Amino acid sequence: MDGHIPQGMTVHTQFVAHTKSLAQPPLHPEAVDAHAAITDYSRFTVALAEDNAGRMLCWRPVDCPHLAVVGDSGCGQTVTVQNAVVQFARAHWAVHVAARFDFEYEQFRAWPNVRCIATDPDTQIALIGHLKQILRQRLLAGRTRVPAPIVLLVDNLYELTGNFSFAHAYSGTPTSDPATTDLRLLLRYGRRARIHVLTATMPRSHAAQLDGETREHFVELPLSRRHHGPDLSAYLDEDRGFIAHRNLAVLRPTRTSYEPLDLN
């Protein structure tokens, strides 16, 4: 039986003490188009992890708009974010990724419904600014239209906010960096505009990355350690003693609802 992360939880509350990332996301039928994503928005769930009893833990964005996958290095954060990319793309959400390393997400660059993979600071800043503009437009439009859902996947939050601060400090401007301000706006008002954020982060740095008010917008899914192959193609399950080979290509969507995003 699947378990949904309950509404109303904060980053200070752990859902399950021992959860482990999935070797590969489950194969569900691909959505027809963006209209289908709009229709299924309130029911759509993302399979993220398993607890020790083998129960699937799922995230329903309509209930918990933003999620932080928290764990130390090697616990499977990147694998979890990759699995989420696959499921959102197959559901015909507009998918945007801000990541630390290009090689971990390069496979998704040509995928349908993955609009942007941002791996350098300038592109990440431009991406957050672009999403802030979409947020503003949607809030101004109110309920006159029902937009297609958007997701921003971040791997990881510590690196992203660090890039923002470094780029802004290098510019010599003695003010808070606008990209972090834009990210806070996405977290504060994204639910009303169907813009959701899933981020990987580390427990020791999570509290220092955003102020307390902003952190309250996240629910937390803690991951326990698991070992992966050097290229993330193999997945070792220590408890069950087997290796599952990841093959995300078989889950690639076959139809496109969105054009690639050009941030230049």
Side-chain angles (χ1 to χ4, degrees), residues 29-69:
E30 180 187 346
V32 175
D33 52 22
H35 179 73
I38 294 172
T39 302
D40 195 49
Y41 171 72
S42 62
R43 298 182 298 272
F44 177 68
T45 61
V46 182
L48 293 173
E50 287 183 344
D51 62 16
N52 283 346
R55 187 178 67 149
M56 188 85 72
L57 303 180
C58 300
W59 174 41
R60 182 182 289 130
V62 72
D63 292 334
C64 306
H66 311 301
L67 181 73
V69 177

Side-chain angles (χ1 to χ4, degrees), residues 81-198:
V81 175
Q82 289 175 334
N83 288 349
V85 171
V86 171
Q87 294 171 80
F88 280 115
R90 289 183 63 82
H92 282 245
W93 284 45
V95 179
H96 307 76
V97 178
R100 175 176 42 173
F101 299 122
D102 185 75
F103 73 89
E104 293 177 333
Y105 293 90
E106 176 66 26
Q107 62 183 310
F108 298 118
R109 285 194 180 276
W111 274 41
N113 308 320
V114 177
R115 299 204 65 201
C116 178
I117 304 289
T119 55
D120 65 83
D122 288 342
T123 308
Q124 292 170 350
I125 290 170
L127 172 60
I128 299 299
H130 172 77
L131 293 177
K132 192 276 299 269
Q133 291 300 322
I134 293 178
L135 173 72
R136 181 175 180 273
Q137 293 166 4
R138 291 186 173 188
L139 293 178
L140 289 174
R143 298 186 178 182
T144 59
R145 58 187 293 268
V146 180
I150 290 174
V151 64
L152 168 66
L153 301 114
V154 179
D155 184 5
N156 62 52
L157 186 63
Y158 179 77
E159 294 284 344
L160 185 74
T161 55
N163 286 345
F164 293 167
S165 298
F166 178 80
H168 189 65
Y170 187 76
S171 71
T173 307
T175 58
S176 59
D177 66 276
T180 296
T181 300
D182 290 347
L183 178 60
R184 287 175 175 145
L185 290 174
L186 290 176
L187 295 173
R188 186 174 301 143
Y189 301 111
R191 184 179 204 157
R192 291 165 53 187
R194 295 192 174 191
I195 300 176
H196 300 271
V197 179
L198 186 157

Side-chain angles (χ1 to χ4, degrees), residues 220-234:
E220 177 186 299
L221 178 67
L223 292 179
S224 58
R225 182 177 295 274
R226 223 170 199 180
H227 297 292
H228 307 276
D231 59 355
L232 297 179
S233 62

